[in-house]
Amino acid sequence: QNSFQVARAVYASQGIAGFWRGILPPLAGSAFYRGILFSAYSATFAAARGTPLEKPIPGTLGLRPAVLLGAFNASLARAAIETPLELIKVRRQTGQSWMTGQGISGLLSVQQVAELYKGSGATFARTIAMLSSFFVIVDYSARLIPDIVNTPLVGPFFKGGIATTFGWAMAWPFETVKSRVQADTTGEYKGQSTSQVVRRIVAKEGVVGLYRGIGPGASRSFVANGCSMIVFHYAQDWVEKHF
C-alpha cells in the first residue's frame, strides 16, 4: 500500500484521531533531546579548540574531526533519551502495549527497561547517520555559502528543512530497522543485530524495503524541522536581546 492508501485505511478504522496516535512521547521528549544533542555537540566542539581535532582533514575542503566527533556524541546523547520514547510511539501507533507488567514496580523492572531500549542499536545507527550528515552539511554551508546560511529566514530553514531531510535520507534504512524491531512483539527479530535485520529485509523485499515510508517521513522532516529551526532561531535572538 502507498501512503495515501494507508492514510485512508487509518481514517476509515480510527478516524482523525488515528493520525495523532502516539504523538505524546515524541512531543514531550523532542524539546529535551534536541537541547541535549546541541549541547553535546557544542561541548565537544569547545573541548576540541586548540587540539588536532580542530585542524581540517586533508582533501575534505576544510572538514574538521571535531565536527564528526561532535556528531557522534550528540547521537549518543539523543539515542539514549529517544529510544524509549520511540518505542512507546511505535507501539501506540501499531495498537500494541509497551508495558511488560503493571503498576510502578512493573515500570521500574529490569524487564521493562530492557523492553524500552529495544532497538537501541538501530536507533543509534540511524541517529549517527542522520546527525553526521546534518552537521557536516551545516559546517560546509557555513564556510562555503555563508551569505545564504546567515540570511534571517532562509538560513534557518536551510539548516532545519534541507540539511535535516538529507540526513534522514541517509539514515532511513536504519529508521526502518528500528521501527520493525520496536514494533515486533512476536520475537521475529529477537537476538538479531542491526546488520542481520538489514540483510533479512533486503533478502525478502529488496533494497526498496529499507526505504518504506520515506515519502511521508521526508515530507514531515522538511516542513517540521524547517519551521522549528526558524522558530528556534528567532527565539534565541529574542532571548539574547532581552536577557
Side-chain angles (χ1 to χ4, degrees):
Q1 291 185 329
N2 59 37
S3 300
F4 296 105
Q5 291 172 323
V6 173
R8 286 198 295 268
V10 170
Y11 179 75
S13 62
Q14 303 174 39
I16 291 292
F19 293 108
W20 276 267
R21 184 182 288 273
I23 190 175
L24 289 180
L27 185 64
S30 61
F32 183 58
Y33 69 66
R34 287 179 195 277
I36 290 294
L37 77 88
F38 281 115
S39 296
Y41 179 82
S42 297
T44 302
F45 216 81
R49 287 175 185 160
T51 72
L53 294 173
E54 199 177 27
K55 296 180 180 180
I57 302 171
T60 63
L61 296 177
L63 180 64
R64 293 157 291 179
V67 174
L68 301 178
L69 182 60
F72 178 88
N73 290 337
S75 301
L76 193 61
R78 173 169 172 164
I81 300 168
E82 189 180 24
T83 298
L85 298 174
E86 281 289 298
L87 182 133
I88 295 172
K89 181 196 75 174
V90 169
R91 294 287 175 83
R92 290 283 297 154
Q93 288 177 334
T94 55
Q96 303 178 85
S97 175
W98 56 271
M99 297 182 67
T100 59
Q102 295 181 345
I104 300 298
S105 59
L107 288 174
L108 299 177
S109 68
V110 174
Q111 184 182 7
Q112 180 66 77
V113 173
E115 184 70 12
L116 287 172
Y117 277 90
K118 194 174 183 179
S120 57
T123 302
F124 178 66
R126 174 264 265 172
T127 306
I128 196 170
M130 178 182 63
L131 291 184
S132 293
S133 301
F134 170 77
F135 284 119
V136 166
I137 291 174
V138 170
D139 180 70
Y140 273 124
S141 61
R143 290 183 288 102
L144 302 179
I145 51 172
D147 292 341
I148 295 177
V149 175
N150 294 326
T151 302
L153 189 63
V154 176
F157 192 85
F158 174 86
K159 294 178 184 178
I162 297 176
T164 303
T165 302
F166 180 83
W168 270 115
M170 297 295 100
W172 200 261
F174 298 114
E175 170 70 9
T176 299
V177 172
K178 176 198 74 69
S179 297
R180 298 277 183 103
V181 171
Q182 291 185 329
D184 175 35
T185 57
T186 64
E188 181 181 358
Y189 298 110
K190 185 176 182 179
Q192 295 186 31
S193 65
T194 300
S195 60
Q196 288 174 321
V197 177
V198 167
R199 289 195 295 269
R200 185 169 180 176
I201 292 173
V202 171
K204 293 176 64 176
E205 306 171 32
V207 174
V208 69
L210 295 173
Y211 288 89
R212 286 190 182 277
I214 192 173
S219 300
R220 179 208 65 179
S221 172
F222 184 74
V223 176
N225 289 305
C227 293
S228 65
M229 191 63 77
I230 290 174
V231 173
F232 174 79
H233 174 76
Y234 280 104
Q236 188 178 46
D237 283 349
W238 186 88
V239 169
E240 289 176 354
K241 289 177 181 178
H242 292 82
F243 296 95

